[in-house]
Amino acid sequence: MPELPEVESIKLQLSKFLPGHTIEEVEIRYSKCFEGDVENIEEAEIKSVRRFGKVIVIDLDNGYSLVIHIKLTGQLVYRGPNLRKAPQLSRKITGGLRGPHTHVIFRLDDRGSLYYNDVRKFGWIKTVKSDQLKEVNFLRTLGPEFLTDVTKSSQEHLTLEKFKKITGSTKRSIKTLLMDQGKISGVGNIYAIDALWLAKIHPERPADSLSGAETKRLYKSIEKVLKEGLKMGGASELAFVRPDGTEGGYQKNFLAYGRGGKMCPRCKKAKFVYKKIAGRGTVFCPNCQSV
DNA sequence: CACTTGACCTGTCCGC
DNA sequence: TGCGGACAGGTCAAGT
């Protein structure tokens, strides 16, 4: 669920709350999720917050950056004076802000705090020298992404031309390709499922079997669902919350994701099928998504 | 090289 | 009621 729209929503809010403030103290409560030296970030001022694919980067004024991947259930929640009217915290904030799933707490100079929760402990935070960001394994291999014009991401932009090149060069199933962060970054299971339904393309189609028109339709569909996700502030189906403690709303707009067994609202001739494709739960309409 | 499976974790839900 | 199993989706490593 944390895909481009979710992580972008986090980036947008953190960019409002954090820059200009100094990290006074870092409390690590579960050391496995934190890699690097706390001394590299304590007493440093936060300059900016960026996003590359599904990764958040927090740049400090001392030449270091924090690199954060929240994977499936990570949560970054801010509480402090920069939140003028603090909204009520979502009940999805697992275990609260000092509970069993709170693994790292960053205390700021203005009594504000940034809490990192992660029920499943898949996510990670690393300290890296800012000029060596590109050497972080995950960032090193990251492919171009959609909507860089909207999100101001400095990740390479995925043009339609590049998209055609990428899809045309492999027989892998189109859905698996869309979720391969090394080829295209930011798209995960939910938006891949919805975009394929919107584009009327079967998720198991070999990528290089798509016609020019289909490829363009898919490209536009991905842009559309990602934009819709962004507009709604992300999808809070599982554990996603925004740093102000509130939930996103895209889960109310799911097109095909999560609708296995229900009637397809477009053709009304078939029920959505749930099937594992490459190990991931996938939903599609067997009637109107062409094989 | 392409592709699949299992590992990493824990909470929730469903059927017996 | 309790218990086992499937499932949730992001990546990496190992296996076919």
Side-chain angles (χ1 to χ4, degrees), chain A residues 27-31 33 70 73-77 91-105 114-125 239 241:
Chain A
E27 180 186 341
I28 298 178
R29 300 153 50 111
Y30 177 73
S31 59
C33 72
I70 66 169
T73 54
Q75 302 173 325
L76 286 163
V77 181
R91 290 190 328 200
K92 287 193 189 265
I93 296 173
T94 39
L97 293 179
R98 283 199 163 70
H101 307 302
T102 305
H103 306 319
V104 184
I105 302 173
L114 181 66
Y115 300 85
Y116 176 67
N117 281 14
D118 189 355
V119 170
R120 288 174 71 178
K121 300 178 178 168
F122 287 176
W124 45 257
I125 299 177
V241 293

Side-chain angles (χ1 to χ4, degrees), chain A residues 144-184:
Chain A
E145 66 181 46
F146 286 91
L147 304 186
T148 55
D149 49 335
V150 178
T151 62
K152 310 288 178 218
S153 167
S154 39
Q155 186 68 15
E156 186 190 346
H157 180 63
L158 180 60
T159 60
L160 176 58
E161 285 316 301
K162 273 181 220 156
F163 185 66
K164 281 184 172 167
K165 238 181 197 167
I166 292 167
T167 53
S169 62
T170 179
K171 294 186 186 316
R172 297 167 70 185
S173 79
I174 183 63
K175 173 163 181 268
T176 315
L177 178 66
L178 292 182
M179 295 195 296
D180 182 342
Q181 304 299 298
K183 296 282 188 275
I184 296 166

Side-chain angles (χ1 to χ4, degrees), chain A residues 29-47:
Chain A
R29 300 153 50 111
Y30 177 73
S31 59
K32 237 177 122 180
C33 72
F34 192 95
E35 192 186 312
D37 199 337
V38 167
E39 285 180 14
N40 293 337
I41 58 170
E42 279 178 341
E43 305 304 328
E45 185 185 313
I46 296 168
K47 301 300 286 181

Side-chain angles (χ1 to χ4, degrees), chain A residues 2 5 17 55 66 85 112 117 119 134 138-139 187 189 195 214 230-231 256 260 281 283:
Chain A
F17 302 152
V55 164
L66 276 164
K85 248 186 100 186
N117 281 14
V119 170
K134 286 272 149 40
F138 187 79
L139 293 176
V187 179
N189 208 36
E214 285 176 321
L230 261 178
K231 200 175 99 190
V283 179

